[in-house]
Coordinates of all heavy atoms in Angstrom, one line a residue:
Chain A
Q132 N -24.6 -15.0 -22.7 CA -24.4 -14.7 -21.2 C -24.1 -13.2 -21.1 O -24.5 -12.6 -20.0 CB -23.2 -15.5 -20.7 CG -23.5 -16.8 -20.0 CD -24.5 -16.7 -18.9 OE1 -25.7 -16.5 -19.2 NE2 -24.1 -16.8 -17.7
T133 N -23.5 -12.5 -22.1 CA -23.2 -11.1 -22.0 C -24.6 -10.3 -21.9 O -24.8 -9.4 -21.1 CB -22.5 -10.6 -23.3 OG1 -21.5 -11.6 -23.8 CG2 -21.8 -9.3 -23.0
I134 N -25.5 -10.8 -22.7 CA -26.8 -10.2 -22.8 C -27.5 -10.5 -21.4 O -28.1 -9.6 -20.7 CB -27.7 -10.7 -23.9 CG1 -27.0 -10.5 -25.2 CG2 -29.1 -10.0 -23.9 CD1 -27.7 -11.0 -26.4
R135 N -27.5 -11.8 -21.0 CA -28.2 -12.1 -19.7 C -27.7 -11.2 -18.5 O -28.4 -10.6 -17.8 CB -28.1 -13.6 -19.4 CG -28.7 -13.9 -18.0 CD -28.6 -15.4 -17.8 NE -29.7 -16.2 -18.4 CZ -29.5 -17.0 -19.4 NH1 -28.3 -17.3 -19.9 NH2 -30.5 -17.7 -19.9
H136 N -26.4 -11.2 -18.5 CA -25.8 -10.4 -17.4 C -26.0 -8.9 -17.5 O -26.3 -8.2 -16.5 CB -24.2 -10.6 -17.3 CG -23.9 -12.0 -16.7 ND1 -22.5 -12.4 -16.5 CD2 -24.6 -13.0 -16.2 CE1 -22.6 -13.6 -16.0 NE2 -23.8 -14.0 -15.7
S137 N -26.0 -8.4 -18.7 CA -26.3 -7.0 -18.9 C -27.8 -6.7 -18.5 O -28.1 -5.7 -17.9 CB -26.1 -6.5 -20.4 OG -24.8 -6.9 -20.7
F138 N -28.7 -7.6 -18.8 CA -30.1 -7.5 -18.6 C -30.3 -7.5 -17.0 O -30.9 -6.7 -16.4 CB -30.9 -8.6 -19.2 CG -32.4 -8.4 -19.0 CD1 -33.0 -7.3 -19.7 CD2 -33.1 -9.2 -18.1 CE1 -34.3 -7.2 -19.5 CE2 -34.5 -8.9 -18.0 CZ -35.1 -7.9 -18.7
I139 N -29.5 -8.5 -16.3 CA -29.7 -8.6 -14.9 C -29.1 -7.3 -14.2 O -29.6 -6.7 -13.4 CB -28.9 -9.8 -14.4 CG1 -29.6 -11.0 -14.8 CG2 -28.8 -9.7 -12.8 CD1 -28.9 -12.3 -14.5
A140 N -28.0 -6.8 -14.8 CA -27.4 -5.5 -14.3 C -28.4 -4.4 -14.4 O -28.5 -3.6 -13.5 CB -26.1 -5.1 -15.0
S141 N -29.2 -4.3 -15.5 CA -30.1 -3.2 -15.6 C -31.4 -3.4 -14.7 O -31.8 -2.6 -14.1 CB -30.6 -3.1 -17.1 OG -31.5 -4.0 -17.5
L142 N -31.8 -4.8 -14.6 CA -32.8 -5.0 -13.6 C -32.5 -4.6 -12.2 O -33.3 -4.1 -11.5 CB -33.1 -6.5 -13.6 CG -34.2 -7.2 -14.5 CD1 -34.2 -8.6 -14.1 CD2 -35.5 -6.5 -14.3
L143 N -31.3 -4.9 -11.8 CA -30.8 -4.6 -10.5 C -30.5 -3.2 -10.3 O -30.1 -2.7 -9.3 CB -29.5 -5.4 -10.2 CG -29.7 -6.9 -10.0 CD1 -28.3 -7.6 -9.9 CD2 -30.5 -7.2 -8.7
Q144 N -30.6 -2.4 -11.4 CA -30.4 -1.0 -11.4 C -29.0 -0.6 -10.9 O -28.8 0.4 -10.2 CB -31.4 -0.2 -10.6 CG -32.9 -0.4 -11.0 CD -33.3 0.7 -12.0 OE1 -33.1 1.8 -11.6 NE2 -33.7 0.3 -13.1
I145 N -28.0 -1.4 -11.4 CA -26.6 -1.0 -11.1 C -26.4 0.4 -11.8 O -26.5 0.4 -13.0 CB -25.6 -2.0 -11.5 CG1 -25.9 -3.3 -10.8 CG2 -24.2 -1.6 -11.3 CD1 -25.0 -4.5 -11.2
P146 N -26.0 1.4 -11.0 CA -26.0 2.8 -11.6 C -25.0 2.9 -12.8 O -25.2 3.7 -13.7 CB -25.7 3.6 -10.4 CG -25.9 2.8 -9.2 CD -25.7 1.4 -9.5
H147 N -23.8 2.2 -12.7 CA -22.8 2.4 -13.7 C -22.3 1.1 -14.3 O -22.0 0.3 -13.6 CB -21.6 3.2 -13.1 CG -21.9 4.3 -12.2 ND1 -22.2 5.6 -12.7 CD2 -22.2 4.4 -10.9 CE1 -22.6 6.3 -11.7 NE2 -22.6 5.7 -10.6
L148 N -22.2 1.1 -15.7 CA -21.7 -0.1 -16.3 C -20.4 0.3 -17.1 O -20.4 1.3 -17.7 CB -22.7 -0.6 -17.4 CG -24.0 -1.1 -16.9 CD1 -24.7 -1.9 -18.0 CD2 -23.9 -2.1 -15.6
I149 N -19.4 -0.5 -16.9 CA -18.2 -0.3 -17.7 C -18.0 -1.6 -18.6 O -17.8 -2.7 -18.1 CB -17.0 -0.2 -16.8 CG1 -17.2 1.1 -15.9 CG2 -15.7 0.0 -17.7 CD1 -16.0 1.3 -14.9
I150 N -18.1 -1.3 -19.9 CA -18.0 -2.5 -20.8 C -16.5 -2.7 -21.2 O -16.0 -1.8 -21.9 CB -18.8 -2.3 -22.1 CG1 -20.2 -1.7 -21.7 CG2 -18.9 -3.6 -22.9 CD1 -21.0 -2.5 -20.7

Side-chain angles (χ1 to χ4, degrees):
Chain A
Q132 266 307 75
T133 325
I134 304 176
R135 178 178 276 111
H136 283 182
S137 305
F138 188 72
I139 291 172
S141 81
L142 265 186
L143 288 171
Q144 298 268 307
I145 298 180
H147 316 274
L148 297 192
I149 303 178
I150 317 305

